[in-house]
Amino acid sequence: MDGVVRAWVDGWVVSRGAAPPVREPWGFTVDVGQPAHVSRHVLAAVGDGVEEETVRGVADGVRGAGVWLKVFQDPALVGDWLGEGWWTDPEPGWLMTAPLPARTGHTRVPDGYGLSRWTRGGVTRVLVTAPDGSFAARGQVAPTGATAVVDQVETAPAHRRRGLGGLVVRLLAERAAAEGAETGVLAGTPAGRALYESLGWTVTAPLTSAKFTGTGETAG
């Protein structure tokens, strides 16, 4: 599964404009460069391959606030391995994958909505606007060869349950496939998992997100 994690890391750094990942014995370190997200450590192991000793070792080496830790195991388990100063998101994310065919189903924009697509720096973005021009939904994809990372898919609360999230993901998948990508990878939220599964994505592993605050305070 190291290959799936590497694919996600490689696409994520392109999508977010982060620094190239640095290979570590246990995974990857990425400099992000934001005040609340200075850098992140991503463990390469997945599921039952995640070792408590490794997680503790990486976490214990963190000294500065704003460093994130990504572990592909349930937060109920990982949270108990982290020391003082770590905030752990209690809800798991999900590492998910899907094949990327040339076409992925119905991509008609609902009546009244607007659609914009553009590519810059290797990242394609899709924006859906409401009839009044306000934000309705968005997402972006970063192809990196045979794989592509779908990222930051979001639908405004007032426009949910209208198929906009599915539309965005389909359009992004089509774009990535057109550029030669064969497999899509993403880190989904609990709320997004059902959408992705309905579109043919499958779960590879749970994902724990933890942040070092250095104070014992929560990051949420």
Side-chain angles (χ1 to χ4, degrees):
M1 292 300 179
D2 179 275
V4 176
V5 175
R6 180 70 204 233
W8 179 61
V9 171
D10 285 345
W12 189 91
V13 300
V14 173
S15 178
R16 303 296 181 94
V22 176
R23 196 63 163 99
E24 308 280 6
W26 38 261
F28 309 93
T29 292
V30 176
D31 286 335
V32 181
Q34 299 176 7
H37 195 163
V38 181
S39 60
R40 58 169 47 190
H41 299 312
V42 184
L43 272 67
V46 172
D48 292 340
V50 176
E51 298 179 350
E52 177 180 352
E53 181 180 0
T54 301
V55 175
R56 287 185 181 275
V58 175
D60 289 348
V62 175
R63 296 289 181 269
V67 175
W68 285 79
L69 182 64
K70 300 289 182 173
V71 182
F72 295 101
Q73 183 54 280
D74 195 293
L77 184 63
V78 176
D80 290 339
W81 299 344
L82 303 180
E84 184 179 355
W86 282 96
W87 169 83
T88 303
D89 190 333
E91 290 193 321
W94 305 98
L95 181 65
M96 305 183 73
T97 63
L100 295 179
R103 294 195 62 80
T104 53
H106 180 60
T107 54
R108 185 183 68 83
V109 182
D111 292 343
Y113 285 89
L115 176 68
S116 298
R117 287 175 281 191
W118 67 95
T119 301
R120 184 179 294 273
V123 180
T124 294
R125 292 173 170 82
V126 170
L127 170 66
V128 180
T129 51
D132 64 358
S134 61
F135 172 78
R138 72 169 308 278
Q140 59 198 61
V141 66
T144 54
T147 58
V149 168
V150 173
D151 190 26
Q152 294 192 316
V153 175
E154 179 183 1
T155 302
H159 299 279
R160 291 173 183 166
R161 301 186 182 281
R162 301 183 186 183
L164 300 182
L167 169 66
V168 168
V169 175
R170 291 187 188 99
L171 291 172
L172 295 174
E174 286 189 359
R175 176 61 182 180
E179 294 191 17
E182 300 174 354
T183 303
V185 184
L186 61 82
T189 63
R193 176 177 172 175
L195 166 65
Y196 299 126
E197 288 183 327
S198 73
L199 297 173
W201 292 71
T202 59
V203 171
T204 297
L207 169 60
T208 293
S209 294
K211 179 182 179 179
F212 188 69
T213 66
T215 62
E217 298 176 357
T218 65

